[in-house]
Amino acid sequence: MKNTELYRMLEIPDEVEKQLINYGKSRNVSIPNVIINKILKRDEWNAGIQELQELLEDDSDGIKILWELLNIISNYSYEEYRKRNISNDIFVATMKFCTRFLHEYHQTFQTYKFVWEQWFPRQISLNEYRIGALEYEFVDAENREIEVHIPSDADLRKRSVAQSIKDFNTFRAKHYPGWKTVKLTCNTWMLMPELKEMLGKESNIIAFQNLFEIDTVDYDATWYMKWIFPGIENIDESLPERTTLQRKMKKYLLDGKKFGVAKGHLKAEYGGNEAL
């Protein structure tokens, strides 16, 4: 697939597409296969991304590394999807990861910048897929698990989430039969028990939370801030109150209470483990 075809398929913003095309025309580096191979392996992709960044040198807006990663998708990932007979719809939804974050950065900072290069290898290497509302990452580590990720644009209504889980179970039965009994887990601020005090019973977040059995809670984690208060790190009176969650979370934090992230596993009755 040509890179320009991919840009249009993923609906890359026009301004970014022009920058990508300009970089492609003036590009004067050659990425060794050893770096590409690292980016495609779970236990090496962090090192691969770091080596790629060092090779590209100055890349303040992330356009160079975005071009290189999209180039791997054009030459490797797209063909792998075809070989595995995975639908084009799933390919597009999954790879639009980069498009979503380009738009989100622009919404927060009024400029385009790609800053999620450390996460993108999951999609590029066919370890993570977006199916409907949610993303599913096959983590083939010492303890196998399928991590459920919640895109910022996810439709968290009960019907949408249920359909996503159902479609995912069909997907893994077809493409990953060896993972049939592996549990689905989720590590997110949305599973924090304190949210029940802030949000009503009709909240889609609480409905999502109720699908999981909470295993651990980490009150030292602070990365929830970038999702609830994008672009803001400090807890003070300047925190925005644009949403009900922001208003209640601001009061909660200014009262000196701690928040964090929690990890849980999908309850068996909701399709978390077909062997149970």
Side-chain angles (χ1 to χ4, degrees):
M1 172 187 285
K2 293 181 180 179
N3 285 12
T4 51
E5 291 179 66
L6 180 64
Y7 303 158
R8 281 146 204 176
M9 183 180 289
L10 301 186
E11 298 182 301
I12 298 292
D14 291 343
E15 182 180 327
V16 177
E17 181 179 342
K18 290 176 184 177
Q19 291 176 288
L20 290 169
I21 291 172
N22 288 338
Y23 169 71
K25 289 178 180 178
S26 62
R27 179 174 177 260
N28 58 6
V29 296
S30 178
I31 309 303
N33 285 334
V34 64
I35 291 181
I36 293 174
N37 289 336
K38 285 183 179 181
I39 290 171
L40 296 175
K41 295 179 182 177
R42 172 173 293 279
D43 58 351
E44 295 186 70
W45 61 39
N46 288 338
I49 289 293
Q50 184 174 343
E51 291 174 22
L52 178 57
Q53 288 174 317
E54 292 170 356
L55 192 63
L56 296 174
E57 298 180 336
D58 178 44
D59 186 26
S60 59
D61 55 10
I63 292 297
K64 292 180 181 180
I65 200 164
L66 179 58
W67 189 97
E68 300 295 346
L69 295 178
L70 290 173
N71 191 52
I72 297 174
I73 293 173
S74 295
N75 291 288
Y76 169 78
S77 311
Y78 181 69
E79 292 306 318
E80 280 298 307
Y81 265 77
R82 294 182 66 185
K83 288 177 186 176
R84 301 185 191 191
N85 199 29
I86 300 174
S87 78
N88 204 52
D89 287 344
I90 293 178
F91 171 80
V92 172
T94 300
M95 299 306 172
K96 272 189 171 181
F97 165 88
C98 65
T99 311
R100 184 172 78 251
F101 279 108
L102 285 167
H103 283 301
E104 288 188 6
Y105 193 93
H106 187 273
Q107 184 176 359
T108 302
F109 301 103
Q110 290 73 56
T111 187
Y112 287 110
K113 184 176 180 178
F114 186 65
V115 297
W116 283 86
E117 66 280 351
Q118 293 289 346
W119 192 274
F120 211 6
R122 289 166 171 78
Q123 288 85 1
I124 295 170
S125 62
L126 283 74
N127 275 254
E128 181 172 320
Y129 303 89
R130 181 162 187 177
I131 299 176
L134 305 171
E135 296 168 325
Y136 302 86
E137 179 184 355
F138 291 83
V139 182
D140 198 0
E142 183 177 352
N143 295 313
R144 268 185 165 189
E145 60 183 328
I146 299 170
E147 292 187 358
V148 179
H149 301 298
I150 311 160
S152 55
D153 63 348
D155 179 354
L156 286 183
R157 289 176 295 180
K158 292 180 182 179
R159 180 179 298 179
S160 180
V161 171
Q163 188 64 52
S164 176
I165 295 171
K166 179 181 178 181
D167 291 344
F168 170 73
N169 282 327
T170 300
F171 173 87
R172 73 165 160 176
K174 178 180 180 181
H175 298 287
Y176 291 85
W179 291 70
K180 182 179 180 181
T181 62
V182 176
K183 286 186 177 181
L184 275 69
T185 64
C186 190
N187 189 31
T188 174
W189 60 270
M190 290 190 189
L191 295 189
M192 286 296 288
E194 287 77 5
L195 288 172
K196 285 186 168 67
E197 303 172 14
M198 302 182 201
L199 305 174
K201 293 181 180 179
E202 300 303 314
S203 165
N204 288 328
I205 290 177
I206 299 304
F208 179 83
Q209 185 179 116
N210 289 337
L211 299 176
F212 290 82
E213 191 74 38
I214 307 302
D215 297 315
T216 60
V217 177
D218 182 2
Y219 286 100
D220 291 324
T222 58
W223 52 262
Y224 66 86
M225 285 289 292
K226 66 184 175 183
W227 301 113
I228 302 176
F229 302 103
I232 300 173
E233 297 180 359
N234 297 324
I235 298 173
D236 55 35
E237 289 289 348
S238 67
L239 289 174
E241 301 180 49
R242 300 186 188 96
T243 67
T244 298
L245 177 59
Q246 284 184 340
R247 287 193 296 274
K248 294 191 175 182
M249 184 63 70
K250 177 178 179 177
K251 182 180 185 306
Y252 181 91
L253 295 174
L254 291 179
D255 284 344
K257 299 176 182 178
K258 296 197 73 173
F259 198 67
V261 299
K263 183 173 182 178
H265 62 273
L266 190 67
K267 295 174 182 176
E269 60 263 39
Y270 299 117
N273 189 323
E274 292 183 4
L276 298 179

